[in-house]
Amino acid sequence: MAVDFLLDEKIWFEKFKYDDAERRYYEQQVNGPAGSSSHQQENGASTILRDIARARENIQKSLAGSASTSSGDQNELLSRISHLEVENQNLHNVVADLQKAIFKLESRLNALEKSTSHQPSPVPPTQKVEPFGVPSKKVELPSASPAKKAEPAAAEEDDDDDDINLFGSDDEEEDQEAAKVREERLRQYAEKKAKKPGLIAKSSILLDVKPWDDETDMAKMEECVRSVQMDGLVWGASKLVPVGYGIKKLQIQCVVEDDKVGTDILEEEITKFEDYVQSVDIAAFNKI
C-alpha cells in the first residue's frame, strides 16, 4: 500500500544522483585537461541524458496515474451531486404538497368561522320576546316569595277551619292513629336493625417464633405452635427464615378476630412451649 501511494506522488527520489553527476561534470571541465577528459565527459553526458529521459518517463507515468485517479474522483463526485439534486427535487415536491394541504385547511377553517359568526344567537328559554311598542310585563323568577305567600294563605285557611270546625273529635282520633302507625314502624325498624349482623373486625398477624439453638426440632416447634387453638384464630402459611450461624426462625401467618383473640394471649400461649420456643415477636400486623 505504501508503494502504491508513493507511485502517485510527484517526488524525484534519485535527484541526488543527478546532482552528483552534474557536479563532477563541471569539476572535470574546470580542473581537468580538455583533451584527456573528453571521452569521460561524453560518457557522463550520455548517462545524464539517459537518467533525464528515465526521470521524464517516471514523471509522465505518475501524472497519468494521478489523472486516472482524479477522473475517478470526479465521476464519483458527479454521481453524488446528481443524487443530491434528485433528493432536493423530491423534497421540494413534498413541501409544495404540504403547503397546498395547509392552504386548504386554512380556507376550510375560515369558512367555518364565517358560518358560525353569521348564525343568530339562541334566545334564552327564560326570555320572553314581545312585539315592538307593547310594554313588557315583569317576569318573576321562582324564588322563596311564593312559599312565603303560601304560608299566610295556609294560615288563613287554618283559621277558617278553626272557625268552621265546631267538633274536634275527628282530628284527635286521626292524630292518635297516625301516632300508633309511626310507633309501629319505628319498632319494626329497630327490630330489623338489631337482627342485622355487624361487621367483625379481623387482623392479619405475622409472627416470628425463635428457637433456642440450631439443634431445636423446627418441625416439632411448628406443630406445637399450630396446636394453639382459640375461637376466632385461624393459622395460615409458614416458612423457615435463616437468622445466622445455622439457626432458623419460624415465620407463621394467622388471622384473628379482634374481639376474641388478643396478641398478648397469643404470645403467652406460644411461649408455654419452653423446650422449643425462646421468644415470639410480631413481624407484621394489618387490619382486614
Side-chain angles (χ1 to χ4, degrees):
M1 294 294 293
V3 175
D4 296 336
F5 176 76
L6 292 174
L7 288 175
D8 298 334
E9 296 291 331
K10 300 178 181 179
I11 300 173
W12 191 2
F13 291 98
E14 299 178 351
K15 184 176 183 296
F16 66 94
K17 294 181 180 180
Y18 306 118
D19 294 335
D20 293 337
E22 186 177 5
R23 182 175 53 78
R24 287 195 302 270
Y25 173 72
Y26 284 111
E27 286 178 356
Q28 289 175 2
Q29 278 189 349
V30 173
N31 298 325
S36 62
S37 62
S38 61
H39 183 69
Q40 294 178 358
Q41 291 176 358
E42 289 177 359
N43 292 331
S46 61
T47 54
I48 290 171
L49 292 174
R50 284 196 301 269
D51 293 337
I52 291 171
R54 197 174 299 165
R56 287 178 179 176
E57 290 178 359
N58 293 330
I59 291 169
Q60 289 177 358
K61 288 180 181 179
S62 63
L63 290 173
S66 62
S68 62
T69 54
S70 62
S71 62
D73 295 338
Q74 289 178 358
N75 293 329
E76 184 180 0
L77 184 61
L78 289 174
S79 63
R80 290 181 64 184
I81 290 171
S82 61
H83 182 67
L84 289 173
E85 287 179 353
V86 172
E87 287 185 354
N88 191 14
Q89 186 64 31
N90 293 331
L91 288 174
H92 278 298
N93 295 332
V94 171
V95 171
D97 295 338
L98 289 174
Q99 287 178 351
K100 290 180 181 177
I102 292 170
F103 179 75
K104 289 180 181 179
L105 288 173
E106 288 179 352
S107 60
R108 290 182 64 184
L109 286 173
N110 293 330
L112 288 172
E113 289 177 357
K114 289 179 181 178
S115 62
T116 53
S117 62
H118 287 302
Q119 288 180 357
S121 60
V123 180
T126 57
Q127 186 177 1
K128 184 176 179 182
V129 180
E130 296 181 354
F132 182 76
V134 178
S136 61
K137 296 179 180 180
K138 185 178 181 181
V139 179
E140 294 182 357
L141 297 175
S143 62
S145 58
K148 292 180 180 178
K149 291 180 180 179
E151 288 177 358
E156 291 175 0
E157 290 177 359
D158 293 337
D159 294 337
D160 296 338
D161 292 339
D162 293 336
D163 295 337
I164 295 169
N165 188 8
L166 301 176
F167 304 97
S169 60
D170 296 337
D171 294 337
E172 290 177 359
E173 291 177 357
E174 290 178 358
D175 291 340
Q176 290 177 359
E177 291 178 358
K180 289 180 180 179
V181 171
R182 184 170 63 253
E183 290 176 358
E184 182 66 22
R185 289 180 179 177
L186 290 173
R187 184 180 61 78
Q188 292 177 358
Y189 175 74
E191 291 178 355
K192 187 176 180 181
K193 189 175 182 181
K195 292 179 181 179
K196 185 177 180 181
L199 295 175
I200 300 173
K202 294 183 179 181
S203 300
S204 175
I205 304 173
L206 183 64
L207 299 173
D208 284 344
V209 184
K210 297 178 182 179
W212 288 104
D213 51 21
D214 56 345
E215 296 180 357
T216 304
D217 190 356
M218 300 301 294
K220 185 66 178 176
M221 187 176 73
E222 183 178 356
E223 184 180 350
C224 293
V225 172
R226 289 184 182 274
S227 65
V228 177
Q229 298 294 330
M230 298 180 187
D231 185 17
L233 171 63
V234 179
W235 292 107
S238 63
K239 64 179 180 178
L240 297 176
V241 179
V243 178
Y245 302 102
I247 301 174
K248 295 181 180 180
K249 66 180 178 181
L250 175 65
Q251 201 169 67
I252 187 167
Q253 186 84 23
C254 65
V255 178
V256 299
E257 294 182 12
D258 296 342
D259 295 336
K260 297 179 181 180
V261 181
T263 56
D264 297 335
I265 299 172
L266 192 60
E267 290 178 5
E268 289 177 1
E269 292 294 328
I270 294 173
T271 51
K272 286 181 180 179
F273 303 99
E274 297 177 354
D275 296 337
Y276 303 99
V277 179
Q278 178 190 2
S279 62
V280 180
D281 296 328
I282 298 174
F285 187 92
N286 297 316
K287 292 287 185 180
I288 298 177

